[in-house]
Each structure stands twice: as C-alpha cells, then as structure tokens.
Amino acid sequence: LSPKISAEKNRKSLSFFSHCLMDNVHKRDDVQASENMSAPPLPPKYVMLNETNGLRPPPQRRNPPRYPSYQDRSSSGNCCLKCICFCYCCLFFLIIAFSIAGYVIYATFKIDIPKYRIEEFKVEAFNVLPDLSLNTEINVIVRAENPSDLISLQYEKGSSVTMNYIDKTICSGKVSEFYQGYKSIKRINIPLQGKTEFSSEFQESLAEDKKQGKIPLLIVVKAPIIVELGRIPLKEVVINVNISMIVDSLEKDKKIGIISSSYKYGLL
C-alpha cells in the first residue's frame, strides 16, 4: 500500500474510535441524569430544628440552668426592702394608735391609781418562845380607796403581805379576795403571823429601838387585780405597795402609834 492510502485508513480508524468514545460518554451522562431524576434528593448535612420543617428536638433534652441576672437580683432585693419598710411603718402607726387610745381613755374616764393607807395597827402576840424564836401576830387594817368614776377592781388569789424589820421578815399574810366598785372605799383586815430567829444582834437592835420609841418597819404588799371598765374586764395587773413606817411600840394589848409612814406604788 502507498503511504497516502495507509494515512487515510488511520484517519478513518481514529475518527471511528473517537466517535465511539463520545457515544459512550453521552450514554453514561444520560444514565446518570436518569438516575438523578429518579432518586430522591439527599438531605443536607446540617438542618435547623424548628416547627416549620416538621423537625422537633428530642423530648428528653437537658436544659442548662438559668442563672438570675444582676437586674433580677436587684429587683428581688428591692422587694424585700420594701416589705421590711412596710412592716416597720405598720408597727410605728400601731404604737401611735395605741398611745392615742390610751391617752383618750385616761382623759375621758379619769383613771386613777387606787390609794392605800394603814388605819389601825394592833399587836396580838410579840414574845420569845422557848426555842429562842420570836413569835409575832399582828392585825393590820388597811384603807383601800378607788377614786375612779368608771374603773372597778377585782382582787384575785395569789396576794402576799410581808412585814420586815432590819431586813428580816417577822410575819406575813395575804389579802382576801373581794370586789371594789368605782368611787368606793374598803377597809381590809390583814392578819399577819410568823416566827423569826431571835439572835443577839436582832435582840440588841430591837431593844435600842424600843428604848427610843422608834421602831422602823417595812410592809410589802403584792396583790393581783383585774381592772374592769364598768363591768368589762380589761387586764390583770399586780399592784405593788411598799409602806415604810415607824411605830412607837410593839407591845401586846397596847395602842400602837404610827409616827410616820410613806407609800410607794408600782405595777408588775
């Protein structure tokens, strides 16, 4: 064969081969295109979870704890401070209201403290026993005056009356229960009895005071009383009366003279 014929054959073979190769490429592209059209699209790697796309977060997820901000803490502190201020204001106004009410009641009804005075002092026994103890029996009559117009007094159980000489109790007793109306005067008989160690110091002091005719005594009265406004009970108080007095004698069956006396009142 001549070189011209062989070149022509080679060109035709090369053209046929390239044509076959292009057909294979187009067929492969057609197959891939048909596969892509028939297969569903793949989901993306990252998807936002929301209500629009129908995807929800798992039901048992962990929520990180929420820490209060500085503004929340300051608002809660302000609320507590306001509550404390409100309570103090209410307490202050209540104190003022009760003070005003007490003053109005005192000014309207003229509440006066009861007055007490010893009217009679009688010695029934004042002698030394064989066991060197001093036996004392004294009757004291006390005048109790209630000067109030609308306040009445109910004397209750639990009262006590003591008579002391040089810091020693020589006899004691109690006030009996009774009712005292407003604007009234009661005379209360209080029997006192007791035994005291008759020491040498006590004997010397008593002998000296008898010689001078001035025997100092201290009578302490404590009595629970229910204060009533008209017939309405208000409050139970314990009235305390300290009576410092000087008598001229402590002899039996002899009228005892009270040289001086002073009264101090208080409420417990």
Side-chain angles (χ1 to χ4, degrees):
L1 296 174
S2 60
K4 186 176 181 180
I5 295 171
S6 61
E8 184 68 22
K9 288 182 179 181
N10 291 334
R11 186 179 63 77
K12 290 181 178 180
S13 298
L14 183 60
S15 177
F16 177 76
F17 179 74
S18 62
H19 181 71
C20 291
L21 183 60
M22 291 298 293
D23 290 339
N24 291 331
V25 171
H26 286 299
K27 288 180 180 179
R28 188 179 62 185
D29 292 338
D30 293 339
V31 170
Q32 289 181 356
S34 63
E35 289 179 356
N36 291 335
M37 291 180 65
S38 61
L42 297 176
K45 293 183 179 180
Y46 302 99
V47 179
M48 294 296 293
L49 301 178
N50 52 35
E51 299 293 337
T52 305
N53 53 22
L55 297 176
R56 296 182 181 180
Q60 297 180 351
R61 61 176 181 174
R62 291 186 61 187
N63 294 325
R66 180 179 179 272
Y67 294 97
S69 62
Y70 176 77
Q71 185 176 2
D72 295 337
R73 291 196 298 269
S74 61
S75 61
S76 61
N78 291 334
C79 291
C80 293
L81 184 60
K82 289 179 181 178
C83 291
I84 294 173
C85 292
F86 178 75
C87 293
Y88 275 110
C89 290
C90 291
L91 181 62
F92 178 73
F93 283 117
L94 284 175
I95 293 174
I96 292 178
F98 280 118
S99 301
I100 294 174
Y103 177 77
V104 170
I105 293 175
Y106 178 80
T108 303
F109 302 114
K110 297 180 181 180
I111 299 175
D112 296 322
I113 298 176
K115 298 178 181 179
Y116 303 91
R117 185 165 298 277
I118 294 179
E119 283 193 343
E120 189 175 343
F121 192 90
K122 186 176 182 181
V123 178
E124 300 291 341
F126 194 81
N127 54 346
V128 180
L129 300 178
D131 60 352
L132 297 180
S133 62
L134 179 63
N135 179 39
T136 306
E137 294 181 10
I138 298 175
N139 282 340
V140 179
I141 297 177
V142 178
R143 179 179 183 269
E145 179 183 359
N146 180 16
S148 179
D149 293 333
L150 293 176
I151 295 298
S152 58
L153 306 173
Q154 176 64 49
Y155 289 77
E156 296 291 314
K157 294 180 179 180
S159 62
S160 65
V161 182
T162 59
M163 180 179 289
N164 302 324
Y165 174 75
I166 60 167
D167 299 332
K168 284 188 177 183
T169 301
I170 58 176
C171 53
S172 61
K174 63 181 180 178
V175 180
S176 58
E177 301 175 57
F178 69 95
Y179 173 80
Q180 185 175 11
Y182 49 86
K183 280 291 183 180
S184 63
I185 297 175
K186 291 279 187 178
R187 286 173 174 81
I188 312 167
N189 183 23
I190 306 175
L192 305 175
Q193 296 179 352
K195 289 184 179 182
T196 312
E197 181 184 357
F198 197 64
S199 60
S200 58
E201 181 183 358
F202 186 93
Q203 183 178 2
E204 291 175 2
S205 177
L206 183 60
E208 182 67 23
D209 291 337
K210 282 183 176 180
K211 183 178 180 181
Q212 295 181 1
K214 294 181 180 180
I215 303 173
L217 299 174
L218 175 63
I219 300 177
V220 180
V221 181
K222 293 181 180 179
I225 300 174
I226 296 179
V227 181
E228 297 181 355
L229 179 62
R231 279 296 184 178
I232 302 174
L234 297 179
K235 186 180 180 182
E236 180 176 340
V237 297
V238 177
I239 190 166
N240 185 18
V241 184
N242 290 346
I243 306 171
S244 299
M245 57 189 301
I246 297 177
V247 296
D248 58 358
S249 176
L250 286 176
E251 295 181 9
K252 181 182 176 182
D253 298 330
K254 181 181 178 181
K255 186 177 180 180
I256 307 300
I258 300 174
I259 299 174
S260 65
S261 61
S262 62
Y263 300 80
K264 292 183 180 180
Y265 303 93
L267 295 177
L268 302 178

